[in-house]
Each structure stands twice: as structure tokens, then as C-alpha cells.
């Protein structure tokens, strides 16, 4: 079994369960975005969502544009600062487009709510949000994703793109970092 910085990891969601759920989400998204006059724009948040985005877009059976936004993250810490800094903006002009914002995990909701407003200022015709994981009972702001993969317990999670100080992203499942 893996350990990161001497901490053990325990499996929370295995690869097959993720694969099935990602396929379901993609099929729902596909239906909901059929009305988009141009190709929908999928916007992934770096770095955490890159694995999810890669799997999700390949289950969406229509042409999509893929772009990434990079905002400042936790660094080595485990708590959200709530402060957002745009590191890399979109390359695509999303004005008038149907946009799907994709993130790895919703904790307090501070990050996604900020980014949602940031994208709204770019005047997309439609903006929907897809999040793989949401921590139960942690929300500090009123923000509900349109598509959610799994509700998860309030533990620090790694794997499937999620990191702890840049490690753990290449795990195939989602794992909880064990205490002590
Ligand atoms: P929020 O602003 O909702 O509190 O935090 C959202 C961001 O914090 C996520 O996009 C993710 O980057 C990071 N985050 C929150 N919880 C976890 C977690 O359990 N593990 C990891 N690796 N990142 C997390
Ligand atoms: Mg993130």
C-alpha cells in the first residue's frame, strides 16, 4: 500500500466505481448540452481536475472544446484559504458559449463560487458545474453543483488527480489520508 510522508492511505472509492459514475455523469451532460449551438466548452480547474476531465470528456459523445483555468491552491496545507488568484486564464473566448466548469472536490465551496463568478463575468450563454466529490456538511457558501459524482466524508483525500503537496495525483482510486 502507498503511504505519503509516512501517512497511510485508505481506499474510499475504487477505480471501477469512479469509471461507472463518470460515464453516468457524461451521459447526463451530453443530454443537457445537446441544445448548444456551438461546441460546448469544458473548463477544467488545474491541477486537481485533470484526471477527471480526461476521463469525462472521453465519455461525452459529441465534439467539445477543452480548456483549463489555473487558480492558486492550498499548496502544502490542508485548509482552504478562500482566496483565489488566477494563475492561468482561459485561452478560449467563452462569451455566448455553453460552458461546463469541472472541478475535483467541493469542500467549503469558496473556491468554486469565486471561479463561478469569474466565469460569469465572461458572459457564457450557459454555465454549469460538474464536481467529482463533495464533502458532506462542510459548505460555507451557497453553491450547488449541477452534476456531482460522490458525496464524501470530511477527510483529506488524495488520488484521481487530487494531491497532498503534489503527491498522490496518480493513484487510480480516491483515498483518505489517515490520521497520525
Ligand atoms: P473549498 O474552497 O471548496 O474549500 O476547496 C476547494 C479546493 O480545495 C478543491 O478544488 C481542492 O483543490 C482543495 N481541496 C479541498 N478538499 C480537499 C481534499 O480533501 N483533498 C485535496 N487534495 N484537495 C482538497
Ligand atoms: Mg482544486
Amino acid at each position: 500500500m502507498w503511504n505519503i510522508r509516512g501517512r497511510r492511505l485508505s481506499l474510499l472509492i475504487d477505480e471501477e466505481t469512479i469509471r461507472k459514475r463518470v460515464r453516468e455523469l457524461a451521459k447526463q451532460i451530453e443530454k443537457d448540452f445537446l441544445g448548444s449551438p456551438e461546441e460546448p466548452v469544458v473548463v477544467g480547474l488545474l491541477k486537481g481536475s485533470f484526471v477527471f476531465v480526461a476521463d469525462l470528456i472521453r465519455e461525452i459523445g459529441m465534439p467539445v472544446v477543452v480548456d483549463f483555468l489555473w487558480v492558486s491552491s492550498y499548496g502544502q496545507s490542508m485548509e482552504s484559504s478562500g482566496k483565489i488568484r488566477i494563475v492561468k486564464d482561459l485561452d478560449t473566448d467563452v462569451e455566448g458559449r455553453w460552458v461546463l466548469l469541472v472541478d475535483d472536490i467541493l469542500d467549503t465551496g469558496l473556491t468554486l463560487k469565486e471561479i463561478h463568478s469569474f466565469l460569469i463575468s465572461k458572459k457564457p450563454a450557459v454555465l454549469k458545474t460538474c464536481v467529482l466529490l463533495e464533502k458532506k456538511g462542510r459548505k460555507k457558501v451557497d453553491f450547488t453543483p449541477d452534476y456531482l459524482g460522490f458525496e464524501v466524508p470530511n477527510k483529506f483525500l488524495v488520488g484521481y488527480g487530487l494531491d497532498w503537496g503534489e503527491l498522490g495525483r496518480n493513484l487510480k482510486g480516491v483515498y483518505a489520508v489517515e490520521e497520525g
Side-chain angles (χ1 to χ4, degrees):
M1 213 326 104
W2 278 48
N3 77 52
I4 296 181
R5 299 194 180 85
R7 302 276 280 273
R8 283 190 311 110
L9 305 182
S10 59
L11 180 64
L12 195 66
I13 312 170
D14 67 49
E15 200 186 343
E16 189 50 35
T17 307
I18 296 173
R19 196 186 345 263
K20 277 196 195 133
R21 188 71 187 118
V22 168
R23 196 169 299 151
E24 288 171 3
L25 291 172
K27 291 304 144 201
Q28 188 59 51
I29 290 163
E30 199 181 303
K31 260 194 215 154
D32 295 350
F33 278 76
L34 271 179
S36 179
E38 287 177 87
E39 293 81 8
V41 183
V42 176
V43 174
L45 294 184
L46 293 173
K47 299 180 192 171
S49 77
F50 81 100
V51 176
F52 182 32
V53 168
D55 285 347
L56 188 70
I57 56 171
R58 285 177 293 170
E59 297 292 345
I60 298 176
M62 66 165 93
V64 295
V65 172
V66 182
D67 203 342
F68 290 95
L69 243 190
W70 191 356
V71 302
S72 57
S73 69
Y74 282 9
Q76 305 260 325
S77 145
M78 288 185 175
E79 279 289 310
S80 181
S81 68
K83 293 242 170 63
I84 307 307
R85 184 173 58 90
I86 305 296
V87 180
K88 184 223 159 269
D89 205 340
L90 295 182
D91 299 318
T92 316
D93 180 4
V94 296
E95 186 171 347
R97 303 289 290 261
W98 288 35
V99 175
L100 179 71
L101 172 61
V102 180
D103 201 11
D104 50 1
I105 186 164
L106 196 66
D107 185 12
T108 63
L110 288 165
T111 311
L112 220 54
K113 190 162 182 153
E114 282 277 320
I115 292 165
H116 190 271
S117 317
F118 175 72
L119 287 180
I120 285 291
S121 73
K122 294 176 182 286
K123 300 186 170 56
V126 169
L127 177 59
K128 292 193 183 282
T129 311
C130 177
V131 179
L132 182 69
L133 311 168
E134 177 169 344
K135 286 188 185 171
K136 259 194 175 139
R138 287 274 301 164
K139 241 183 270 179
K140 287 189 184 162
V141 290
D142 183 25
F143 186 87
T144 307
D146 299 286
Y147 311 96
L148 173 66
F150 305 93
E151 270 204 350
V152 291
N154 182 22
K155 292 181 168 183
F156 194 78
L157 308 178
V158 296
Y160 200 71
L162 286 92
D163 73 307
W164 179 22
E166 292 306 324
L167 297 178
R169 296 195 198 275
N170 59 322
L171 286 157
K172 291 182 180 180
V174 172
Y175 292 75
V177 178
E178 291 298 318
E179 301 286 328

